[in-house]
Amino acid sequence: MESTDRQPSRFRDILETYRPYLIALAALAVFAFTTFAIYNLTTEVSYDDVVEALANTRWSSIGLAVFFTALSFAALVGYDVNAITYIGRSLPFVPVAITAFSAYAVGNTAGFGALSGGAIRFRAYSRLGLSPDDIGRIVAFVTLAFGIGLLAVTALASLVTAPRIGAILDIDGTWVRAGAIAIIIVLAALLILGRGGRTVSLGSLSIRLPDSRTSSQQFLITALDVAASASVLYVLLPQTEIGWPSFLAIYATAVGLGVLSHVPAGLGVFETVIVAALGNTVSLDEVLGSLVLYRVIYHVLPLLIATLVVIGVEIRQLARHPIASTLRKLEFRLAPPLLATFSMIAGAMLIFSSVTPTPDSDINFLGNYLPLPVFEGAHFLSSILGLLLFVAARGIGQRLDGAWWTAMVCTSLALIFAFMRAIALFEATFLIILLISLFLSAKQFKRRASLFGQVLTPSWIAAMFIVVAAAITVLLFVYREVEYSRELWWQFEFSEEAPRGLRAVLGLAIFAATISVFSLLRPAARRSALSTADDLERAIQLVMAQDNADANLVRMGDKRLMFSESGNAFIMYGIQGRSWIALFDPVGPQEETADLVWRFVEEARARGGRAVLYQISPGLLSHCADAGLRAFKLGELAIVDLSGFDLKGGRLAGLRQAVNKGAREGLEFSVIEQPDVMAHIEDLRRVSDAWLEDHNTREKTFSLGAFRDDYVSAQPVAILRKGGRIVAFATLSLTDTKYEGTVDLMRFMPDAPKGSMDFLFVKIMEYLRDDGYAHFNLGMAPLSGMSTREAALAWDRIGSVVFEHGERFYNFKGLKAFKSKFHPAWEPRYLAVAGGVSPAIVMMDATLLIGGGLRGVVGK
């Protein structure tokens, strides 16, 4: 029976472990299916016809397409503006517009818009003062608003043009109209049910819908966005019998299917739907030419503009205008992901150009000046450089210096080869912009890491193979009429284009396979080595030289240690299941923090784990966002300013009464200095054992200390005596900077006078204040300060409910009330997890790591 019960759980574990690979394989399968479909749909189309159709496109149509692209992106900026208003925050319009424009420029091109665009929003909006839960609500709002809005626009357009859509799809228009009406009814019902901001439950999913005004505004924004983006392609198409309303419905469906496919930018999926829908009414060669121009204008052009904006901000760093100052804050956060996407596009461009023919005029010109081996070599190497540039894009997004150098070298060589294999002016201009962007952003790539030491994730491998497969498809399409023979591989002539493309594709396939095998065959589930005694001693020295008193938990010796390259900073972490859980912020100089976070995330990923940062401060969130982690609030840390701590006056009257009561009952406070603790260790052990037995609990570890002789005796211990007998104690955690002090183990005898802990804490604070300490860390109140707004994330809403009603399991409110007696300042603390991982799964691993399951954590 037990094995049967565990079977679903085992299946879920396997699914969770291999989910990235399954998603990548699914995307590859969808792409393969759609490219096969579009290849068969275009059997009567030749490459020359497509080129001719491109050449015949009127400049007025291109101008209109650019105008509608600008209009669409203006509407997309409205998504973010509306989302920020919806969550009740206010930000300057210009940085919001820059952030939204950049997020959509990257998301539309790289795919996975909620993740790629969401990461840009997190980086930028955190710099503008928004909290992680606010940013999470913005990302959720724009993602959901786009999906619902796209569905609504498609349904309305299909309702109006049902007969035409039915004729195109070869189905009865009545069914099209019925489906559209059903969708409209469902959306209208949700709108009515959610009026006034009510929450609607769909099974296990609860969604807080915006009010009627916000919904109306968002629908108009989405309608404008979809209509404008559809118009980009519509004006590029030749004369067609399909009216704009019918085309709008087709376009919206193609976009939706492209998003659902998880293929980057819907490549192939979008084209297949458009070709299938328009193939009977428009010349296919003209449709393909229009699709190529659409991709360039709507995807590449905005990315190019976003990159130029970043270059402009970099060049004008000396400007003192407030707007320029705000934009400079965004530049550091926006440049790496923009440059990474730009590098992906440049790499894909080089790959595709290697399998398409060079214009005859260029070949004739170059044949007069270049030897054939040079011409052939430039062509072949350009394709390999394109693949390397595509792979380097991941490292550029991670700010690796090795990736920066790789991109600089590859771009420079590709720029030279652009004039040695063709007079490719557009390609050269694109590469020059990338080269300038990389050069101006050089100061941001300071992470000393080998590009080849990084392994590609399944999604990156899938994206790489999609590009290579697309290149093969283009090759087969271009040279459809060339009959294959083995002799083609050995034909080296200026006029022989097909053999050149074949050799380029072979090189691409070999290099892509090599990179993939290198990434996939790396050890997938190895744990890092345990830390040595020398590592622990070095870490303790670093702890004593900094301000975070909680970092003394490293003395437990139960955590692994990862040091920075200089050895002046470290992260302490534990491993539970697949979760690598780092405790607190990195310990050491701030300038080494970012690199340590990156190294920790990459090490966890390379060894088959998922990176988790537990109980981190707001100051670390921007570094977590850079590393692709998502933050969730855990609770609040209570900090008392000791310089103003005084029991006089009415504010702390309750504590003053507790101190007076304890003195009347004979409580005596003292501190056992560190060298003398071992002489009293047995008396302290008796108190600890009695406390554990009375509370029916056991020792915990990782984020809490345990009663071990070496740990308890490592620092001073504050004690309370009554009648000469120790009845309560607290181990002190201190550092040499005297910035803050805190306590870890806090234990008392069952017969200790009521209010002894209040007495002990007051005396400890007075002791530390008199010794020159600036702050006292009262510790974290779990789940405190979680948002209760209906717009809050599900994690916050669950946390707030547990905080309010979870007294049966843990004294959440009582702990918060105890700490509140001291009138502390409350600072938020967060949990940061790898994107796509449920915080609930991670918290379960943290629970097991801390103390033997849920029972150990809640102390029952």
Side-chain angles (χ1 to χ4, degrees):
M1 183 68 181
E2 180 180 356
S3 61
T4 303
D5 292 339
R6 293 186 59 182
Q7 187 171 356
S9 176
R10 191 179 302 117
F11 176 76
R12 286 194 297 270
D13 290 341
I14 293 174
L15 191 64
E16 171 70 20
T17 301
Y18 294 102
R19 184 174 60 174
Y21 299 93
L22 295 175
I23 292 175
L25 288 174
L28 282 171
V30 170
F31 178 79
F33 175 79
T34 54
T35 51
F36 178 77
I38 199 170
Y39 183 80
N40 287 333
L41 287 170
T42 58
T43 52
E44 302 300 325
V45 180
S46 70
Y47 174 76
D48 292 335
D49 292 336
V50 175
V51 173
E52 184 180 355
L54 276 170
N56 292 335
T57 303
R58 293 175 298 178
W59 284 102
S60 59
S61 298
I62 295 176
L64 280 173
V66 172
F67 168 76
F68 284 121
T69 297
L71 191 60
S72 174
F73 272 82
L76 289 174
V77 170
Y79 280 85
D80 282 53
V81 173
N82 209 22
I84 292 170
T85 302
Y86 172 65
I87 66 171
R89 300 300 299 270
S90 177
L91 293 176
F93 175 77
V94 172
V96 169
I98 295 293
T99 300
F101 179 82
S102 301
Y104 284 111
V106 170
N108 289 347
T109 304
F112 300 98
L115 297 178
S116 55
I120 288 182
R121 288 186 179 90
F122 202 108
R123 292 179 177 95
Y125 290 148
S126 62
R127 298 279 290 183
L128 296 176
L130 293 188
S131 65
D133 57 328
D134 283 338
I135 300 171
R137 287 196 292 274
I138 290 174
V139 174
F141 181 94
V142 298
T143 303
L144 191 61
F146 175 76
I148 294 177
L150 183 65
L151 190 61
V153 170
T154 306
L156 289 173
S158 299
L159 182 64
V160 176
T161 62
R164 184 62 179 168
I165 297 296
I168 293 172
L169 300 179
D170 196 23
I171 61 175
D172 191 343
T174 305
W175 289 106
V176 176
R177 180 168 284 122
I181 291 174
I183 293 173
I184 293 171
I185 290 174
V186 171
L187 294 178
L190 288 176
L191 182 62
I192 295 172
L193 290 173
R195 65 186 183 278
R198 290 168 55 185
T199 300
V200 177
S201 296
L202 300 173
S204 60
L205 178 65
S206 294
I207 303 174
R208 189 257 184 179
L209 295 176
D211 55 53
S212 300
R213 179 180 177 182
T214 305
S215 298
S216 301
Q217 290 177 344
Q218 190 55 54
F219 174 75
L220 292 175
I221 291 172
T222 305
L224 176 61
D225 165 37
V226 177
S229 59
S231 299
V232 175
L233 180 55
Y234 189 74
V235 299
L236 293 173
L237 290 171
Q239 294 295 326
T240 173
E241 298 177 359
I242 297 179
W244 183 84
S246 300
F247 179 77
L248 177 64
I250 296 171
Y251 175 87
T253 302
V255 170
L257 292 175
V259 172
L260 292 175
S261 70
H262 287 298
V263 175
L267 185 64
V269 180
F270 176 83
E271 284 79 3
T272 300
V273 176
I274 297 296
V275 169
L278 303 183
N280 295 328
T281 58
V282 185
S283 173
L284 283 182
D285 52 348
E286 294 179 323
V287 173
L288 291 177
S290 299
L291 284 169
V292 171
L293 271 179
Y294 167 79
R295 288 289 189 181
V296 171
I297 293 173
Y298 193 75
H299 290 264
V300 177
L301 182 60
L303 183 67
L304 183 62
I305 293 173
T307 305
L308 290 175
V309 168
V310 170
I311 293 176
V313 172
E314 182 70 29
I315 292 175
R316 298 185 59 188
Q317 277 197 10
L318 298 179
R320 296 184 178 181
H321 192 278
I323 291 181
S325 176
T326 305
L327 292 180
R328 284 199 300 274
K329 292 181 181 180
L330 298 182
E331 181 271 337
F332 178 81
R333 299 296 167 197
L334 297 182
L338 280 173
L339 290 177
T341 309
F342 203 92
S343 298
M344 287 177 58
I345 297 298
M349 178 183 65
L350 291 172
I351 290 172
F352 291 141
S353 66
S354 68
V355 297
T356 53
T358 303
D360 292 339
S361 58
D362 291 356
I363 291 178
N364 294 333
F365 176 81
L366 293 171
N368 296 326
Y369 298 97
L370 292 178
L372 179 60
V374 174
F375 180 76
E376 292 278 1
H379 200 96
F380 179 81
L381 290 176
S382 290
S383 65
I384 304 302
L385 290 173
L387 185 64
L388 291 177
L389 199 55
F390 191 93
V391 172
R394 179 171 182 263
I396 290 173
Q398 297 178 348
R399 297 185 290 111
L400 300 182
D401 59 350
W404 183 85
W405 279 108
T406 300
M408 285 288 289
V409 172
C410 288
T411 305
S412 301
L413 291 175
L415 179 61
I416 296 173
F417 292 156
F419 294 102
M420 295 175 63
R421 58 181 177 80
I423 312 301
L425 296 179
F426 175 80
E427 186 177 300
T429 302
F430 201 85
L431 293 171
I432 288 172
I433 293 174
L434 175 59
L435 198 62
I436 294 174
S437 303
L438 289 168
F439 178 77
L440 292 176
S441 304
K443 66 179 183 297
Q444 300 178 29
F445 297 89
K446 295 181 178 179
R447 296 192 58 233
R448 293 178 175 270
S450 168
L451 174 66
F452 302 103
Q454 314 300 308
V455 294
L456 293 182
T457 59
S459 60
W460 273 89
I461 293 175
M464 178 177 63
F465 272 109
I466 283 173
V467 171
V468 174
I472 295 174
T473 304
V474 170
L475 177 74
L476 295 175
F477 171 77
V478 171
Y479 303 107
R480 191 196 299 268
E481 297 177 358
V482 176
E483 193 169 332
Y484 175 77
S485 66
R486 284 178 292 181
E487 287 74 18
L488 285 175
W489 297 99
W490 312 108
Q491 290 182 5
F492 294 92
E493 297 180 23
F494 277 102
S495 60
E496 294 297 332
E497 295 280 6
R500 224 171 354 256
L502 276 176
R503 289 188 288 270
V505 161
L506 178 63
L508 285 172
I510 293 174
F511 270 77
T514 302
I515 294 170
S516 301
V517 170
F518 173 77
S519 295
L520 293 174
L521 294 187
R522 289 285 293 270
R526 293 184 292 120
R527 295 196 172 196
S528 59
L530 293 172
S531 301
T532 65
D534 290 341
D535 291 336
L536 182 60
E537 184 59 34
R538 179 163 46 131
I540 291 174
Q541 293 176 5
L542 294 176
V543 167
M544 295 305 293
Q546 52 85 59
D547 295 335
N548 182 10
D550 276 332
N552 276 290
L553 277 169
V554 74
R555 298 175 184 272
M556 280 287 294
D558 60 343
K559 288 169 276 291
R560 290 172 166 81
L561 303 174
M562 178 181 290
F563 288 90
S564 63
E565 290 189 3
S566 68
N568 295 326
F570 71 91
I571 281 180
M572 50 181 162
Y573 66 99
I575 299 177
Q576 176 64 44
R578 292 184 56 236
S579 296
W580 288 41
I581 306 175
L583 184 62
F584 308 136
D585 294 10
V587 177
Q590 289 290 325
E591 55 269 22
E592 301 197 25
T593 295
D595 187 62
L596 259 178
V597 171
W598 273 107
R599 284 185 54 206
F600 178 72
V601 172
E602 291 164 353
E603 181 76 4
R605 183 183 294 126
R607 296 178 184 268
R610 52 186 169 227
V612 181
L613 278 76
Y614 184 71
Q615 291 192 32
I616 59 174
S617 69
L620 199 67
L621 294 181
S622 60
H623 301 303
C624 293
D626 284 341
L629 304 182
R630 186 180 179 189
F632 299 87
K633 192 170 184 180
L634 274 178
E636 294 178 306
L637 191 73
I639 302 291
V640 176
D641 183 359
L642 293 180
S643 63
F645 184 76
D646 196 327
L647 296 182
K648 297 178 181 179
R651 194 168 70 103
L652 300 179
L655 292 177
R656 186 170 62 249
Q657 293 173 6
V659 171
N660 293 335
K661 180 176 178 292
R664 289 195 302 269
E665 294 187 3
L667 291 177
E668 299 176 353
F669 170 82
S670 63
V671 173
I672 305 175
E673 297 299 333
Q674 186 272 328
D676 303 323
V677 173
M678 282 302 296
H680 299 82
I681 198 69
E682 292 304 323
D683 293 333
L684 298 175
R685 193 190 317 278
R686 278 192 289 273
V687 175
S688 176
D689 292 344
W691 184 86
L692 291 171
E693 182 178 357
D694 184 61
H695 286 77
N696 189 26
T697 189
R698 50 190 164 181
E699 297 284 11
K700 299 178 178 64
T701 58
F702 189 63
S703 65
L704 298 169
F707 193 98
R708 287 192 344 219
D709 292 5
D710 58 340
Y711 179 70
V712 173
S713 62
Q715 291 212 301
V717 178
I719 62 172
L720 290 183
R721 283 191 172 94
K722 183 178 180 182
R725 180 174 67 100
I726 297 178
V727 295
F729 74 87
T731 58
L732 302 184
S733 293
L734 311 172
T735 70
D736 293 337
T737 67
K738 292 191 175 183
Y739 178 80
E740 75 170 16
T742 188
V743 299
D744 184 17
L745 298 180
M746 299 168 287
R747 298 182 177 176
F748 53 89
M749 298 292 288
D751 60 350
K754 187 177 180 180
S756 294
M757 298 312 290
D758 288 354
F759 184 92
L760 178 60
F761 267 79
V762 170
K763 290 299 182 180
I764 290 174
M765 290 184 198
E766 291 178 337
Y767 170 81
L768 294 177
R769 178 199 62 195
D770 296 342
D771 197 31
Y773 283 81
H775 302 92
F776 183 75
N777 177 353
L778 273 166
M780 193 178 73
L783 305 184
S784 169
M786 307 290 274
S787 177
T788 58
R789 293 178 292 181
E790 292 186 0
L793 297 174
W795 173 261
D796 290 69
R797 296 200 302 271
I798 293 171
S800 63
V801 170
V802 173
F803 180 81
E804 289 294 329
H805 307 290
E807 296 301 300
R808 175 182 176 186
F809 304 102
Y810 189 81
N811 190 21
F812 294 106
K813 296 177 71 175
L815 184 60
K816 175 72 179 284
F818 172 77
K819 298 177 188 296
S820 297
K821 294 179 183 179
F822 300 89
H823 295 276
W826 295 97
E827 297 181 0
R829 286 298 180 266
Y830 296 92
L831 171 78
V833 301
V837 178
S838 169
I841 294 175
V842 169
M843 283 303 298
M844 181 60 70
D845 286 340
T847 296
L848 296 173
L849 186 61
I850 291 170
L854 184 60
R855 178 182 173 85
V857 171
V858 300
K860 298 292 185 182

